[in-house]
Amino acid sequence: MKFDRVKSLDAILATAKKKSLNRSLGAFQLTMLGIGGIIGTGIFVLTSEAAQKAGPGMMLSFVLAGFICMCAAICYSELASMVPTAGSAYTYTYAVMGERLAWMVGWALILEYAIGASAVASSWSGYMIGLVQNLFHIKISPLWVNSPSAGGYINLPAVVITLLITWLLILGTTESARANAILVGIKVAALSLFAILAIPVMNASHFEPFMPTGITGVAGAAASIFFAYVGFDAVSTAAEETRNPQRNVPVALIASLAFCTIFYLLVSLGAIGSPLGAQPVTGADGGILAPGTLALEQRCHTIVATGAQEPLPCSHEALAHVLRSIGWSRIGNLIGLAATIALPSVVLMMIFGQTRIFFTMARDGLLPDSFARVHARYRTPHIVTTVTGIGTAIGAAFLPVGTLADYSNSGTLFAFAMVAVSVLILRRTDPTRARPFRAPAIWLFAPLAIIGCIYLYLSLDLIAILVLPVWGAIGLLIYYGYGRSRSYVGRGIETSDSLEPN
């Protein structure tokens, strides 16, 4: 099969060398970026949503989603070691399957990174508001802390945190990585404390039946909490800013994913075994939710469904509520504080990943040249960072976290599948090229990644399934209306000469 406008690996490396970013990240910093991108909304907030679909079986959902991500990570590791540049799945697809499919992947990654960042910013707002209310007993009008679908005007705290993180990313990658490492430490400490307090007092009866909704419920929950793993692949977008990327990128990808999967299992164990997972509860539609469902969601659904007024707006602080239910109110508040402090690291990592995708697409001529300009002092792509930050803030302001997460998953699953396809094709078309990291059993792991991504995609809600083709159609219109005619590969030139620091 002949692909259109393939940009060779040699050409990609030459372009990156000519217009490159500063290599300042080591293996530890890169792993922290991966953990920072993974541990966030998925475990702090969406745990309760997954429990509604699968009950105690959500533990299997974490395993299923984590296994599919691990298969994808193995594929990412081989390609990232061969092409240590910014761009991630977009770049790999360009080198193997050509410009049109690369554009589609880059366009889908907007759903993963920009929309994902909006989801995390929205969930951070919930934790922050819940913390303020529980600590200071201050009534905050829901009009300014909720999206319109939740009865508000705008989620103002989410906008503020997004713009602050955008400013930090403009200042520099090293500075952002240092801040991220501190935030990761806070998140890991908070989740460890939760597991230490919740697991010893869990009730084993809450795990019976273990799969009340069967494999369908487990798959549906896995599709939703797949968002809990989104972020590990952002490590590959930092390859161009990493020292010794051939070694450090594969190590950071696999280490961060394995570390977080273990934590997710421990936390879900403590959450389901708590009093909030004691018995079936009634959902917003009047139906009985699965045994093991975190009951804090019942309160939130009832408020939305009935229009009842609550003294304080519903905040969806899943883990903090679990600790309060077992008598650790102050520690629950500390968990809320930790989430409030640390969740911004996920927003940081996702905006970081999105800007590097846009940076690379602009460097290829598919987006305006200004998106690939690097700040003369900070050596960061400041223009595209600003544009991405503003777009992310708008999404966080007006869309609810659950909707955003599902939309993000659809784009992520498409990108992961394309990476797995790319690594298989490259094994056939360029078998002799040096592979600093040669993935083991690639003919097993890559097909498993592809099949798993398709399975989880089809397990999403119908609207989330439809988002991807509709979003893709919009992307193709932009590609044929703008990018294709301006592509440097299409015009037979390597890169623009106008991308000097300004």
Side-chain angles (χ1 to χ4, degrees):
M1 181 178 181
K2 185 176 177 61
F3 294 105
D4 180 47
R5 294 189 178 186
V6 174
K7 185 175 184 180
S8 70
L9 293 179
D10 293 329
I12 289 172
L13 293 171
T15 301
K17 184 176 181 180
K18 183 176 180 181
K19 305 293 181 183
S20 63
L21 298 168
N22 182 41
R23 295 192 182 276
S24 60
L25 302 176
F28 176 77
Q29 290 173 308
L30 202 59
T31 302
M32 289 299 101
L33 284 175
I35 296 173
I38 297 171
I39 296 180
T41 297
I43 192 65
F44 279 106
V45 179
L46 296 181
T47 307
S48 54
E49 184 170 323
Q52 290 183 57
K53 296 182 178 181
M58 82 166 180
M59 295 186 66
L60 291 181
S61 302
F62 275 113
V63 174
L64 176 61
F67 176 74
I68 293 171
C69 284
M70 184 65 74
C71 292
I74 291 172
C75 300
Y76 266 95
S77 296
E78 177 165 310
L79 292 173
S81 72
M82 297 171 67
V83 195
T85 66
S88 186
Y90 159 79
T91 298
Y92 310 148
T93 306
Y94 211 153
V96 178
M97 290 182 281
E99 184 175 278
R100 186 185 298 108
L101 285 174
W103 169 271
M104 293 301 295
V105 170
W107 188 249
L109 286 173
I110 296 175
L111 294 176
E112 175 180 353
Y113 290 122
I115 300 300
S118 296
V120 180
S122 178
S123 67
W124 172 86
S125 174
Y127 260 96
M128 189 273 290
I129 296 302
L131 179 68
V132 170
Q133 293 170 166
N134 278 285
L135 287 180
F136 304 108
H137 304 287
I138 299 174
K139 182 178 179 180
I140 300 176
S141 171
L143 297 178
W144 304 105
V145 297
N146 284 322
S147 63
S149 65
Y153 293 146
I154 183 175
N155 193 331
L156 195 57
V159 173
V160 172
I161 195 63
T162 300
L163 295 180
L164 285 175
I165 289 170
T166 301
W167 171 73
L168 177 62
L169 283 168
I170 291 174
L171 291 183
T173 301
T174 301
E175 290 75 9
S176 300
R178 288 171 180 166
N180 175 76
I182 295 172
L183 297 179
V184 167
I186 294 172
K187 285 193 291 189
V188 170
L191 293 179
S192 298
L193 182 60
F194 175 88
I196 290 171
L197 295 177
I199 291 178
V201 298
M202 68 180 183
N203 190 328
S205 66
H206 297 178
F207 295 85
E208 297 176 3
F210 187 69
M211 294 173 56
T213 56
I215 190 63
T216 301
V218 170
S224 293
I225 61 175
F226 190 79
F227 188 77
Y229 291 98
V230 172
F232 85 87
D233 57 315
V235 169
S236 64
T237 69
E240 197 170 314
E241 294 158 273
T242 302
R243 300 188 300 272
N244 191 13
Q246 289 82 358
R247 171 189 175 274
N248 291 335
V249 171
V251 167
L253 279 168
I254 296 173
S256 60
L257 190 57
F259 179 89
C260 293
T261 299
I262 293 172
F263 258 87
Y264 285 177
L265 289 175
L266 292 174
V267 169
S268 59
L269 190 67
I272 293 173
S274 73
L276 291 181
Q279 55 187 340
V281 295
T282 305
D285 59 357
I288 300 299
L289 301 175
T293 297
L294 298 185
L296 66 97
E297 286 293 324
Q298 182 183 27
R299 177 176 60 90
C300 302
H301 284 309
T302 301
I303 292 166
V304 173
T306 65
Q309 296 297 313
E310 188 186 40
L312 302 173
C314 183
S315 62
H316 299 280
E317 314 164 82
L319 300 188
H321 275 290
V322 166
L323 288 184
R324 292 176 188 130
S325 74
I326 59 176
W328 294 98
S329 296
R330 292 185 179 180
I331 302 298
N333 289 338
L334 286 178
I335 295 293
L337 176 61
T340 301
I341 295 173
L343 278 177
S345 69
V346 187
V347 183
L348 182 149
M349 195 63 229
M350 288 185 166
I351 295 179
F352 174 91
Q354 182 65 78
T355 59
R356 271 49 182 180
I357 299 293
F358 281 156
F359 174 84
T360 309
M361 294 174 76
R363 196 165 57 183
D364 291 332
L366 298 176
L367 292 175
D369 283 352
S370 60
F371 278 26
R373 293 216 172 101
V374 177
H375 196 282
R377 176 181 176 187
Y378 302 126
R379 301 300 301 170
T380 57
H382 58 297
I383 295 177
V384 71
T385 300
T386 301
V387 171
T388 302
I390 293 173
T392 300
I394 292 173
F398 299 110
L399 294 175
V401 60
T403 299
L404 288 166
D406 281 347
Y407 291 175
S408 176
N409 287 343
S410 65
T412 306
L413 290 165
F414 174 68
F416 283 11
M418 293 298 286
V419 168
V421 172
S422 296
V423 76
L424 291 179
I425 293 176
L426 202 58
R427 282 287 185 100
R428 287 291 191 185
T429 59
D430 198 357
T432 59
R433 179 175 287 273
R435 289 168 168 81
F437 176 84
R438 188 176 182 87
I442 193 64
W443 294 100
L444 172 64
F445 288 119
L448 284 174
I450 296 168
I451 294 170
C453 288
I454 294 173
Y455 180 62
L456 290 186
Y457 172 71
L458 295 177
S459 298
L460 288 168
D461 294 337
L462 179 60
I463 294 179
I465 291 175
L466 295 176
V467 162
L468 184 61
V470 172
W471 182 252
I474 295 172
L476 282 175
L477 290 175
I478 296 174
Y479 170 68
Y480 283 106
Y482 179 89
R484 187 172 176 84
S485 63
R486 291 167 173 79
S487 162
Y488 298 141
V489 170
R491 290 189 282 164
I493 58 179
E494 182 179 300
T495 187
S496 172
D497 294 324
S498 64
L499 306 182
E500 300 302 324
N502 57 6

